[in-house]
Amino acid sequence: MSTKNAELLPNLPVNKVCVTDLNSLLVCSLCSGYFFNAATITECLHTFCRSCLVRHIAVSLLCPKCNVLIHPTDPLVNIRLDSTMQDVLYKLLPQVEQEEQRREKEYYGNEENMDCTNSDEKMKCGDEKSKSAESLSRRIVRRKRISPGSSYGTAIVLEFAGGYMGFGCTDSIRAMLRRYLWVPKYTMIGRVQNYLHKKLNLDSAVQVCMFALTYLLNESLTLDTVCDAFFPDSMTKPITLHYAVLHKSYIQSLQES
Protein backbone atom coordinates (compact mmCIF):
# COMPACT_ATOMS: atom_id res chain seq x y z
CA MET A 1 0.00 0.00 0.00
CA SER A 2 1.35 3.43 -0.90
CA THR A 3 2.08 6.11 1.73
CA LYS A 4 -0.85 8.21 0.48
CA ASN A 5 -3.30 5.35 0.87
CA ALA A 6 -1.87 4.52 4.28
CA GLU A 7 -2.62 8.05 5.43
CA LEU A 8 -6.19 7.82 4.20
CA LEU A 9 -6.73 4.43 5.90
CA PRO A 10 -5.10 4.68 9.34
CA ASN A 11 -4.54 1.54 11.46
CA LEU A 12 -7.63 -0.40 10.44
CA PRO A 13 -8.03 -3.78 12.17
CA VAL A 14 -7.06 -6.76 10.01
CA ASN A 15 -9.32 -9.79 10.27
CA LYS A 16 -7.63 -12.95 9.12
CA VAL A 17 -9.89 -15.61 7.64
CA CYS A 18 -8.99 -19.29 7.74
CA VAL A 19 -9.18 -20.92 4.33
CA THR A 20 -11.19 -23.79 5.77
CA ASP A 21 -13.94 -21.29 6.59
CA LEU A 22 -14.37 -20.82 2.83
CA ASN A 23 -14.61 -24.51 2.01
CA SER A 24 -18.36 -24.31 1.48
CA LEU A 25 -17.65 -21.92 -1.42
CA LEU A 26 -14.68 -23.78 -2.87
CA VAL A 27 -15.65 -27.46 -2.57
CA CYS A 28 -17.73 -29.40 -5.08
CA SER A 29 -20.68 -30.99 -3.31
CA LEU A 30 -20.68 -33.91 -5.75
CA CYS A 31 -17.13 -35.17 -5.15
CA SER A 32 -16.31 -33.32 -1.88
CA GLY A 33 -13.07 -32.05 -3.39
CA TYR A 34 -11.87 -28.62 -4.45
CA PHE A 35 -13.21 -27.40 -7.79
CA PHE A 36 -11.44 -28.71 -10.89
CA ASN A 37 -12.48 -26.95 -14.10
CA ALA A 38 -15.23 -25.18 -12.17
CA ALA A 39 -18.56 -24.98 -14.03
CA THR A 40 -21.61 -22.96 -12.98
CA ILE A 41 -25.30 -23.56 -13.73
CA THR A 42 -26.67 -20.31 -15.13
CA GLU A 43 -30.19 -20.95 -13.81
CA CYS A 44 -29.21 -21.00 -10.11
CA LEU A 45 -25.48 -20.04 -10.11
CA HIS A 46 -24.38 -23.15 -8.20
CA THR A 47 -20.87 -24.32 -9.05
CA PHE A 48 -19.40 -27.82 -9.35
CA CYS A 49 -16.49 -29.59 -11.01
CA ARG A 50 -17.24 -29.74 -14.72
CA SER A 51 -16.70 -33.49 -14.99
CA CYS A 52 -18.87 -34.12 -11.91
CA LEU A 53 -21.68 -32.02 -13.34
CA VAL A 54 -21.52 -33.72 -16.76
CA ARG A 55 -21.86 -37.12 -15.07
CA HIS A 56 -24.72 -35.84 -12.93
CA ILE A 57 -26.85 -34.53 -15.80
CA ALA A 58 -26.59 -37.93 -17.46
CA VAL A 59 -29.02 -39.21 -14.82
CA SER A 60 -30.83 -36.04 -13.70
CA LEU A 61 -31.74 -32.67 -15.23
CA LEU A 62 -31.99 -30.98 -11.80
CA CYS A 63 -29.35 -29.00 -9.94
CA PRO A 64 -27.73 -31.26 -7.31
CA LYS A 65 -28.07 -28.53 -4.66
CA CYS A 66 -31.42 -26.78 -5.15
CA ASN A 67 -33.26 -29.13 -7.56
CA VAL A 68 -33.99 -26.33 -10.02
CA LEU A 69 -34.50 -27.54 -13.60
CA ILE A 70 -31.24 -26.87 -15.47
CA HIS A 71 -32.85 -27.16 -18.91
CA PRO A 72 -35.79 -29.28 -20.06
CA THR A 73 -33.99 -30.76 -23.09
CA ASP A 74 -30.29 -29.84 -23.26
CA PRO A 75 -28.75 -28.98 -19.86
CA LEU A 76 -25.28 -28.38 -21.31
CA VAL A 77 -26.67 -25.15 -22.81
CA ASN A 78 -27.05 -23.68 -19.30
CA ILE A 79 -23.67 -24.77 -17.95
CA ARG A 80 -20.70 -22.38 -18.21
CA LEU A 81 -17.06 -22.77 -17.26
CA ASP A 82 -16.35 -20.47 -14.30
CA SER A 83 -12.75 -19.35 -14.75
CA THR A 84 -13.17 -16.63 -12.09
CA MET A 85 -14.03 -19.16 -9.39
CA GLN A 86 -11.18 -21.42 -10.49
CA ASP A 87 -8.71 -18.52 -10.40
CA VAL A 88 -9.86 -17.53 -6.90
CA LEU A 89 -9.35 -21.10 -5.73
CA TYR A 90 -5.85 -21.29 -7.18
CA LYS A 91 -5.01 -17.90 -5.68
CA LEU A 92 -6.06 -19.00 -2.20
CA LEU A 93 -4.66 -22.52 -2.50
CA PRO A 94 -1.72 -22.58 -4.91
CA GLN A 95 -0.77 -26.05 -3.68
CA VAL A 96 -4.04 -27.38 -5.11
CA GLU A 97 -3.06 -26.20 -8.58
CA GLN A 98 0.41 -27.67 -8.19
CA GLU A 99 -1.03 -31.00 -7.04
CA GLU A 100 -3.44 -31.11 -9.99
CA GLN A 101 -0.60 -30.40 -12.41
CA ARG A 102 1.47 -33.17 -10.83
CA ARG A 103 -1.35 -35.68 -11.07
CA GLU A 104 -2.06 -34.67 -14.66
CA LYS A 105 1.58 -35.24 -15.60
CA GLU A 106 1.55 -38.63 -13.91
CA TYR A 107 -1.67 -39.60 -15.67
CA TYR A 108 -0.52 -38.59 -19.14
CA GLY A 109 2.91 -40.05 -18.48
CA ASN A 110 1.41 -43.46 -17.72
CA GLU A 111 1.32 -45.50 -20.93
CA GLU A 112 -1.50 -47.63 -19.56
CA ASN A 113 -3.81 -44.62 -19.43
CA MET A 114 -2.56 -42.56 -22.36
CA ASP A 115 -0.39 -43.33 -25.35
CA CYS A 116 0.27 -39.67 -26.15
CA THR A 117 3.93 -38.73 -25.99
CA ASN A 118 4.14 -34.94 -26.42
CA SER A 119 2.24 -32.03 -24.91
CA ASP A 120 0.26 -31.26 -28.07
CA GLU A 121 -0.96 -34.82 -28.26
CA LYS A 122 -1.82 -34.78 -24.56
CA MET A 123 -3.95 -31.68 -24.99
CA LYS A 124 -5.60 -33.20 -28.04
CA CYS A 125 -6.35 -36.44 -26.21
CA GLY A 126 -7.63 -34.53 -23.19
CA ASP A 127 -9.97 -32.52 -25.41
CA GLU A 128 -11.18 -35.71 -27.09
CA LYS A 129 -11.87 -37.25 -23.69
CA SER A 130 -13.86 -34.19 -22.62
CA LYS A 131 -15.81 -34.15 -25.89
CA SER A 132 -16.51 -37.86 -25.46
CA ALA A 133 -18.00 -37.24 -22.00
CA GLU A 134 -20.14 -34.41 -23.38
CA SER A 135 -21.22 -36.56 -26.31
CA LEU A 136 -22.28 -39.35 -23.94
CA SER A 137 -24.25 -36.88 -21.84
CA ARG A 138 -25.95 -35.40 -24.91
CA ARG A 139 -26.90 -38.88 -26.15
CA ILE A 140 -28.45 -39.73 -22.80
CA VAL A 141 -30.30 -36.42 -22.70
CA ARG A 142 -31.46 -36.94 -26.29
CA ARG A 143 -32.90 -40.32 -25.35
CA LYS A 144 -34.77 -38.61 -22.53
CA ARG A 145 -35.95 -35.88 -24.85
CA ILE A 146 -37.53 -38.21 -27.38
CA SER A 147 -39.09 -40.50 -24.79
CA PRO A 148 -42.91 -40.27 -24.93
CA GLY A 149 -43.26 -38.56 -21.57
CA SER A 150 -41.39 -37.68 -18.42
CA SER A 151 -41.81 -35.71 -15.23
CA TYR A 152 -40.60 -32.62 -17.12
CA GLY A 153 -42.24 -32.73 -20.53
CA THR A 154 -44.60 -34.33 -22.99
CA ALA A 155 -44.14 -35.70 -26.50
CA ILE A 156 -46.70 -34.28 -28.95
CA VAL A 157 -47.79 -35.30 -32.43
CA LEU A 158 -49.31 -32.33 -34.30
CA GLU A 159 -51.95 -33.11 -36.92
CA PHE A 160 -53.22 -30.41 -39.28
CA ALA A 161 -57.03 -30.25 -39.37
CA GLY A 162 -57.26 -27.64 -42.14
CA GLY A 163 -58.62 -24.09 -42.31
CA TYR A 164 -62.07 -22.56 -42.54
CA MET A 165 -62.57 -21.24 -46.06
CA GLY A 166 -65.44 -18.86 -45.39
CA PHE A 167 -63.34 -16.08 -43.93
CA GLY A 168 -60.43 -15.63 -46.23
CA CYS A 169 -58.46 -18.78 -45.41
CA THR A 170 -57.20 -20.48 -48.52
CA ASP A 171 -55.89 -23.92 -49.32
CA SER A 172 -52.38 -22.43 -49.59
CA ILE A 173 -51.86 -23.21 -45.88
CA ARG A 174 -49.68 -26.27 -45.58
CA ALA A 175 -49.15 -28.48 -42.58
CA MET A 176 -45.86 -28.27 -40.71
CA LEU A 177 -43.21 -30.69 -41.88
CA ARG A 178 -42.04 -31.20 -38.32
CA ARG A 179 -44.98 -32.92 -36.63
CA TYR A 180 -43.25 -34.11 -33.48
CA LEU A 181 -42.41 -31.86 -30.51
CA TRP A 182 -41.14 -32.38 -26.99
CA VAL A 183 -42.64 -29.63 -24.83
CA PRO A 184 -42.29 -28.92 -21.08
CA LYS A 185 -45.43 -30.04 -19.29
CA TYR A 186 -46.07 -26.59 -17.76
CA THR A 187 -46.28 -24.95 -21.23
CA MET A 188 -49.63 -23.33 -21.96
CA ILE A 189 -51.64 -24.17 -25.06
CA GLY A 190 -51.41 -20.51 -26.08
CA ARG A 191 -47.63 -20.81 -26.38
CA VAL A 192 -47.98 -23.79 -28.73
CA GLN A 193 -50.52 -21.84 -30.80
CA ASN A 194 -48.13 -18.88 -31.09
CA TYR A 195 -45.33 -21.26 -32.12
CA LEU A 196 -47.49 -22.71 -34.90
CA HIS A 197 -48.64 -19.24 -35.99
CA LYS A 198 -45.03 -18.15 -36.52
CA LYS A 199 -43.90 -21.38 -38.15
CA LEU A 200 -46.79 -21.30 -40.62
CA ASN A 201 -46.17 -17.59 -41.30
CA LEU A 202 -49.86 -16.75 -40.89
CA ASP A 203 -51.65 -13.43 -41.21
CA SER A 204 -52.70 -11.57 -38.05
CA ALA A 205 -56.36 -11.92 -39.05
CA VAL A 206 -56.31 -15.67 -38.48
CA GLN A 207 -55.64 -17.74 -35.39
CA VAL A 208 -54.44 -21.25 -34.67
CA CYS A 209 -56.79 -23.36 -32.55
CA MET A 210 -55.82 -26.57 -30.77
CA PHE A 211 -58.05 -29.60 -30.30
CA ALA A 212 -57.75 -32.64 -28.05
CA LEU A 213 -59.92 -35.36 -29.53
CA THR A 214 -62.98 -33.22 -30.51
CA TYR A 215 -62.64 -30.59 -27.78
CA LEU A 216 -61.44 -27.04 -28.43
CA LEU A 217 -58.66 -26.28 -25.94
CA ASN A 218 -58.51 -23.01 -24.03
CA GLU A 219 -55.19 -21.26 -24.55
CA SER A 220 -54.73 -20.83 -20.78
CA LEU A 221 -54.60 -24.61 -20.18
CA THR A 222 -51.24 -26.27 -19.57
CA LEU A 223 -50.17 -29.47 -21.29
CA ASP A 224 -50.09 -31.17 -17.91
CA THR A 225 -53.80 -30.42 -17.42
CA VAL A 226 -54.61 -31.56 -20.96
CA CYS A 227 -52.80 -34.87 -20.43
CA ASP A 228 -54.60 -35.50 -17.15
CA ALA A 229 -57.97 -34.80 -18.77
CA PHE A 230 -57.63 -36.51 -22.16
CA PHE A 231 -54.48 -38.65 -22.29
CA PRO A 232 -53.95 -40.79 -19.14
CA ASP A 233 -51.25 -42.82 -20.93
CA SER A 234 -49.15 -39.77 -21.93
CA MET A 235 -46.20 -41.09 -19.89
CA THR A 236 -45.86 -44.13 -22.16
CA LYS A 237 -46.72 -42.77 -25.61
CA PRO A 238 -47.01 -39.42 -27.41
CA ILE A 239 -50.26 -37.48 -27.35
CA THR A 240 -51.95 -36.32 -30.56
CA LEU A 241 -53.23 -32.75 -30.80
CA HIS A 242 -54.98 -31.36 -33.86
CA TYR A 243 -54.62 -27.74 -34.93
CA ALA A 244 -56.75 -25.70 -37.32
CA VAL A 245 -56.34 -22.23 -38.83
CA LEU A 246 -59.51 -20.18 -38.33
CA HIS A 247 -60.46 -16.56 -38.83
CA LYS A 248 -60.71 -14.62 -35.58
CA SER A 249 -64.25 -13.42 -36.37
CA TYR A 250 -65.34 -17.04 -36.89
CA ILE A 251 -63.84 -18.03 -33.55
CA GLN A 252 -65.67 -15.15 -31.89
CA SER A 253 -68.98 -16.29 -33.40
CA LEU A 254 -68.38 -19.79 -32.08
CA GLN A 255 -67.68 -18.48 -28.60
CA GLU A 256 -70.82 -16.31 -28.65
CA SER A 257 -72.95 -19.24 -29.74
Side-chain angles (χ1 to χ4, degrees):
M1 180 183 297
S2 65
T3 305
K4 183 177 180 180
N5 291 335
E7 293 176 355
L8 295 175
L9 301 173
N11 299 330
L12 293 177
V14 178
N15 295 325
K16 293 184 178 181
V17 179
C18 184
V19 175
T20 55
D21 295 337
L22 303 176
N23 272 355
S24 60
L25 304 175
L26 304 175
V27 171
C28 172
S29 60
L30 292 173
C31 67
S32 300
Y34 288 115
F35 293 134
F36 178 69
N37 288 336
T40 297
I41 300 172
T42 58
E43 295 299 297
C44 59
L45 300 182
H46 285 136
T47 305
F48 309 89
C49 298
R50 184 170 180 271
S51 57
C52 295
L53 195 52
V54 168
R55 285 194 295 268
H56 172 79
I57 63 176
V59 295
S60 174
L61 299 179
L62 303 179
C63 171
K65 277 191 175 181
C66 64
N67 285 333
V68 70
L69 181 62
I70 301 175
H71 192 279
T73 57
D74 192 356
L76 292 174
V77 171
N78 288 342
I79 295 175
R80 299 286 185 272
L81 286 177
D82 195 338
S83 58
T84 301
M85 175 63 75
Q86 196 66 55
D87 292 341
V88 169
L89 172 62
Y90 287 160
K91 190 71 173 179
L92 292 173
L93 299 168
Q95 66 274 19
V96 173
E97 182 179 15
Q98 296 169 3
E99 178 65 14
E100 288 176 352
Q101 291 176 350
R102 183 188 66 80
R103 290 183 177 182
E104 188 175 6
K105 288 181 180 179
E106 289 182 355
Y107 177 79
Y108 287 124
N110 188 346
E111 293 182 355
E112 295 179 359
N113 293 329
M114 188 66 65
D115 295 331
C116 302
T117 56
N118 56 55
S119 58
D120 291 338
E121 290 178 346
K122 291 176 185 178
M123 292 178 62
K124 181 178 178 182
C125 293
D127 290 343
E128 290 177 353
K129 181 181 179 182
S130 176
K131 290 178 181 178
S132 176
E134 284 191 14
S135 177
L136 173 62
S137 176
R138 288 185 183 274
R139 288 198 299 271
I140 294 174
V141 170
R142 191 177 298 115
R143 286 199 294 270
K144 291 182 180 180
R145 179 169 50 192
I146 63 177
S147 61
S150 70
S151 58
Y152 308 114
T154 304
I156 301 176
V157 180
L158 295 172
E159 295 289 353
F160 182 49
Y164 185 74
M165 303 302 175
F167 290 92
C169 292
T170 66
D171 57 1
S172 62
I173 299 174
R174 294 288 183 266
M176 281 182 50
L177 295 178
R178 181 183 179 185
R179 298 170 51 231
Y180 303 96
L181 295 178
W182 192 97
V183 184
K185 66 178 184 179
Y186 47 80
T187 303
M188 292 190 298
I189 293 297
R191 297 292 297 272
V192 181
Q193 291 176 342
N194 292 338
Y195 168 79
L196 290 171
H197 198 282
K198 289 184 177 179
K199 286 295 184 181
L200 295 173
N201 195 24
L202 298 175
D203 186 82
S204 59
V206 298
Q207 181 176 332
V208 176
C209 295
M210 305 289 298
F211 298 86
L213 304 179
T214 58
Y215 295 90
L216 177 64
L217 299 176
N218 190 292
E219 61 182 14
S220 63
L221 293 176
T222 63
L223 284 173
D224 193 28
T225 303
V226 173
C227 290
D228 290 341
F230 300 101
F231 305 100
D233 54 353
S234 61
M235 292 295 292
T236 58
K237 64 179 182 180
I239 68 173
T240 300
L241 296 180
H242 291 79
Y243 65 96
V245 179
L246 304 176
H247 200 280
K248 290 183 178 179
S249 58
Y250 178 68
I251 297 173
Q252 185 177 359
S253 65
L254 288 178
Q255 293 173 343
E256 291 175 353
S257 62

Short mmCIF file of all heavy atoms in Angstrom, two decimals, residues 6 43 47 77 86 122 140 156 166 188 192 207-208 249 255:
data_model
loop_
_atom_site.label_atom_id
_atom_site.label_comp_id
_atom_site.label_asym_id
_atom_site.label_seq_id
_atom_site.Cartn_x
_atom_site.Cartn_y
_atom_site.Cartn_z
N ALA A 6 -2.03 4.83 2.87
CA ALA A 6 -1.87 4.52 4.28
C ALA A 6 -2.35 5.67 5.15
O ALA A 6 -2.89 5.47 6.24
CB ALA A 6 -0.40 4.19 4.59
N GLU A 43 -28.84 -21.11 -14.34
CA GLU A 43 -30.19 -20.95 -13.81
C GLU A 43 -30.20 -20.66 -12.32
O GLU A 43 -31.10 -19.98 -11.83
CB GLU A 43 -31.02 -22.21 -14.10
CG GLU A 43 -31.27 -22.46 -15.57
CD GLU A 43 -32.04 -21.33 -16.22
OE1 GLU A 43 -33.18 -21.09 -15.83
OE2 GLU A 43 -31.47 -20.67 -17.12
N THR A 47 -22.10 -23.93 -8.37
CA THR A 47 -20.87 -24.32 -9.05
C THR A 47 -20.43 -25.71 -8.62
O THR A 47 -20.54 -26.08 -7.45
CB THR A 47 -19.75 -23.31 -8.74
OG1 THR A 47 -20.19 -22.00 -9.09
CG2 THR A 47 -18.49 -23.63 -9.54
N VAL A 77 -26.51 -26.53 -22.34
CA VAL A 77 -26.67 -25.15 -22.81
C VAL A 77 -26.56 -24.17 -21.65
O VAL A 77 -26.05 -23.05 -21.81
CB VAL A 77 -28.03 -25.00 -23.52
CG1 VAL A 77 -28.33 -23.54 -23.84
CG2 VAL A 77 -28.05 -25.82 -24.80
N GLN A 86 -12.38 -20.58 -10.47
CA GLN A 86 -11.18 -21.42 -10.49
C GLN A 86 -9.94 -20.60 -10.17
O GLN A 86 -9.05 -21.05 -9.43
CB GLN A 86 -11.04 -22.08 -11.86
CG GLN A 86 -10.08 -23.25 -11.89
CD GLN A 86 -10.57 -24.42 -11.06
OE1 GLN A 86 -11.67 -24.93 -11.25
NE2 GLN A 86 -9.75 -24.88 -10.13
N LYS A 122 -1.13 -34.67 -25.83
CA LYS A 122 -1.82 -34.78 -24.56
C LYS A 122 -3.03 -33.85 -24.53
O LYS A 122 -4.13 -34.24 -24.10
CB LYS A 122 -0.87 -34.42 -23.41
CG LYS A 122 0.23 -35.44 -23.17
CD LYS A 122 1.16 -34.94 -22.09
CE LYS A 122 2.35 -35.89 -21.92
NZ LYS A 122 3.30 -35.39 -20.91
N ILE A 140 -27.52 -39.33 -23.86
CA ILE A 140 -28.45 -39.73 -22.80
C ILE A 140 -29.60 -38.75 -22.70
O ILE A 140 -30.76 -39.12 -22.59
CB ILE A 140 -27.71 -39.85 -21.45
CG1 ILE A 140 -26.70 -41.00 -21.52
CG2 ILE A 140 -28.69 -40.08 -20.31
CD1 ILE A 140 -25.83 -41.13 -20.31
N ILE A 156 -45.47 -34.65 -28.25
CA ILE A 156 -46.70 -34.28 -28.95
C ILE A 156 -46.57 -34.61 -30.42
O ILE A 156 -45.52 -34.38 -31.04
CB ILE A 156 -46.99 -32.78 -28.79
CG1 ILE A 156 -47.13 -32.40 -27.32
CG2 ILE A 156 -48.26 -32.38 -29.54
CD1 ILE A 156 -47.33 -30.91 -27.12
N GLY A 166 -64.46 -19.92 -45.25
CA GLY A 166 -65.44 -18.86 -45.39
C GLY A 166 -64.96 -17.48 -45.01
O GLY A 166 -65.63 -16.50 -45.29
N MET A 188 -48.22 -23.57 -21.68
CA MET A 188 -49.63 -23.33 -21.96
C MET A 188 -49.95 -23.57 -23.44
O MET A 188 -49.09 -23.41 -24.30
CB MET A 188 -50.02 -21.90 -21.56
CG MET A 188 -49.99 -21.65 -20.05
SD MET A 188 -50.73 -20.08 -19.59
CE MET A 188 -49.64 -18.93 -20.43
N VAL A 192 -48.06 -22.89 -27.58
CA VAL A 192 -47.98 -23.79 -28.73
C VAL A 192 -48.67 -23.17 -29.94
O VAL A 192 -48.19 -23.27 -31.07
CB VAL A 192 -48.60 -25.16 -28.38
CG1 VAL A 192 -48.48 -26.12 -29.57
CG2 VAL A 192 -47.92 -25.77 -27.16
N GLN A 207 -56.14 -17.22 -36.66
CA GLN A 207 -55.64 -17.74 -35.39
C GLN A 207 -55.56 -19.25 -35.46
O GLN A 207 -56.37 -19.90 -36.13
CB GLN A 207 -56.56 -17.31 -34.25
CG GLN A 207 -56.11 -17.79 -32.87
CD GLN A 207 -57.01 -17.26 -31.78
OE1 GLN A 207 -57.61 -16.19 -31.92
NE2 GLN A 207 -57.11 -17.99 -30.68
N VAL A 208 -54.58 -19.80 -34.76
CA VAL A 208 -54.44 -21.25 -34.67
C VAL A 208 -55.22 -21.75 -33.45
O VAL A 208 -55.09 -21.20 -32.35
CB VAL A 208 -52.97 -21.66 -34.55
CG1 VAL A 208 -52.84 -23.17 -34.36
CG2 VAL A 208 -52.18 -21.22 -35.77
N SER A 249 -62.83 -13.72 -36.46
CA SER A 249 -64.25 -13.42 -36.37
C SER A 249 -65.09 -14.69 -36.29
O SER A 249 -66.12 -14.73 -35.61
CB SER A 249 -64.68 -12.57 -37.58
OG SER A 249 -64.40 -13.26 -38.78
N GLN A 255 -67.66 -18.71 -30.03
CA GLN A 255 -67.68 -18.48 -28.60
C GLN A 255 -68.99 -17.85 -28.15
O GLN A 255 -69.51 -18.14 -27.08
CB GLN A 255 -66.50 -17.59 -28.20
CG GLN A 255 -65.15 -18.26 -28.38
CD GLN A 255 -64.00 -17.32 -28.14
OE1 GLN A 255 -64.16 -16.09 -28.14
NE2 GLN A 255 -62.81 -17.88 -27.97
#
